[in-house]
Amino acid sequence: MTDSEALRGLIENRGLKMKYVADYLGLSAYGLQLKVDNRQEFKTSEVAALCELLEINSLMTKKKFFCKER
């Protein structure tokens, strides 16, 4: 499950627009919105690309944004 609020905040803090992030991931803006809002799951390749774009290097940080609740 994605921490939607934290992910949106990180994107905004990096000075990026959601449309740019969607294009970077090869998604439509609506497709990205569905994934950020947890209505669809991110593919592993999308998570990897998003971590690269947002400079998320720590495994703990990745887990914060992209792990299912237990």
Side-chain angles (χ1 to χ4, degrees):
M1 176 172 258
T2 303
D3 183 338
S4 304
E5 187 175 316
L7 183 56
R8 279 194 175 96
L10 182 58
I11 290 168
E12 184 177 307
N13 287 340
R14 298 279 186 202
L16 302 173
K17 301 291 183 187
M18 294 297 280
K19 175 65 174 142
Y20 176 82
V21 174
D23 289 343
Y24 187 87
L25 298 177
L27 300 169
S28 67
Y30 181 67
L32 177 60
Q33 179 183 343
L34 290 174
K35 292 176 185 229
V36 171
D37 291 341
N38 292 302
R39 291 186 273 162
Q40 288 185 359
E41 290 187 19
F42 280 99
K43 295 178 185 175
T44 304
S45 60
E46 294 166 343
V47 171
L50 194 52
C51 287
E52 182 179 298
L53 177 65
L54 299 175
E55 299 175 358
I56 299 172
N57 300 313
S58 162
L59 182 58
M60 292 306 293
T61 305
K62 288 177 188 177
K63 285 183 177 182
K64 174 184 175 183
F65 291 110
F66 301 110
C67 281
K68 290 186 176 187
E69 289 183 341
R70 294 186 178 132

